[in-house]
Amino acid sequence: MKTAEKIIYGVFLMLLVSCVDGAKKYKSDNTLEKKQVDSSSVIIASGNLDHIISFQKKKVIDFSDIKGKVSKITQTNFWYKKEGDSTIEKIQKLKTEVLEFNEEQQLILYNVYADDEELFFTNKYIYDEEGCLITSYESNAVRFVVKKIPVYNPQGIIVKEKYYNKDEIEIGEAVIGLKQDTLTKVTTWANAGTKEKTINVVDMKGNFTFSVFYETVINAAFNSSAETAEELQYDEKGRVVSESKYIPWGITENYKDRLDVSIQNKYGDNNLLREKIVTKNGVVDYVLSYAYVFDAMGNWIEKNITRNNKKESVHRRMIEYY
């Protein structure tokens, strides 16, 4: 989820270096700390839109599998150093993630530290009294900052996102449309001179089953062929059991002609991922296996990953509760 693992900063680096002439500057008043609503953007739908609202909330970071009332998670990831065909038992730190939650279990801070413990990037999230996200901040190690303000319609759907840099200059905008169960998001980045389009098909449980991404320059039409495409299948418990990733790269309109990777996921009795089978060109490329250690609340505090039965990495958590 698309998940925290797909946060992309390359675009932000281009966007925030300079500002174009005539860029809009927002006012630093208290109204921007309230939920922004566009009363004219009412969506005509035959049923309720709860699954769309649920999907948009999951796009922050989904920790619905966490048990108990968590205030903070500190997760450090290590990998086993390889030399030739052998694995050195000494593990090396890869990164540390720190996540903080409010009492409603909403993510309010997400920091990532590099192996040398230097802050690599930080995300901050602000909610209103109803639990709606009203502002988020993303910044990286060189202190480029993106402030994102979502705009809701009266039904609670996010129909627009506005992006600002650290100098309070507007640098981009996303317009989000909904047709049946398909969300289309078109993002225009003024400084980079590009626009992006993401299409997500959402099921009635708020999970996306298909996602496709396009990119072009601002004044050009989107090509009918995509840059990337992804399909997911879920079981009755809402767990991803099958993933197909495609890379059309603008070469073909039929994205299924360019299958890159297919993944099969298997789960244990604890509903956590037990095995991931990754296939390329019809042949199993590798198999990841997962083993866990749990705390008294039933949350995992250590995850050991092997790749083709060889040690790959270990993730360790410290969990603080309210």
Side-chain angles (χ1 to χ4, degrees), residues 70-74 98-101 318-322:
V70 174
S71 63
K72 184 177 181 180
I73 297 176
T74 302
V98 177
L99 305 100
E100 295 183 8
F101 302 84
M318 292 188 296
I319 303 179
E320 301 174 29
Y321 297 89
Y322 280 101

Side-chain angles (χ1 to χ4, degrees), residues 261-285:
V261 173
S262 61
I263 300 171
Q264 299 296 317
N265 296 322
K266 298 181 180 180
Y267 297 85
D269 295 335
N270 51 25
N271 287 328
L272 293 175
L273 187 62
R274 176 173 55 86
E275 187 175 75
K276 184 184 290 286
I277 303 171
V278 180
T279 301
K280 279 192 173 186
N281 300 319
V283 179
V284 174
D285 189 30

Side-chain angles (χ1 to χ4, degrees), residues 138-198:
E138 298 176 355
S139 62
N140 64 8
V142 290
R143 300 301 181 264
F144 288 128
V145 178
V146 171
K147 179 177 183 177
K148 180 169 68 177
I149 298 177
V151 179
Y152 296 82
N153 75 354
Q155 296 152 295
I157 304 293
I158 298 175
V159 293
K160 188 181 293 184
E161 291 174 344
K162 297 180 179 180
Y163 307 104
Y164 304 89
N165 67 9
K166 62 182 178 63
D167 296 318
E168 301 185 345
I169 302 296
E170 185 174 334
I171 57 173
E173 181 180 80
V175 177
I176 302 168
L178 175 65
K179 185 177 181 180
Q180 295 180 339
D181 296 321
T182 301
L183 279 168
T184 300
K185 178 178 178 180
V186 177
T187 305
T188 302
W189 298 105
N191 295 19
T194 62
K195 61 182 180 180
E196 304 161 355
K197 180 167 68 173
T198 303

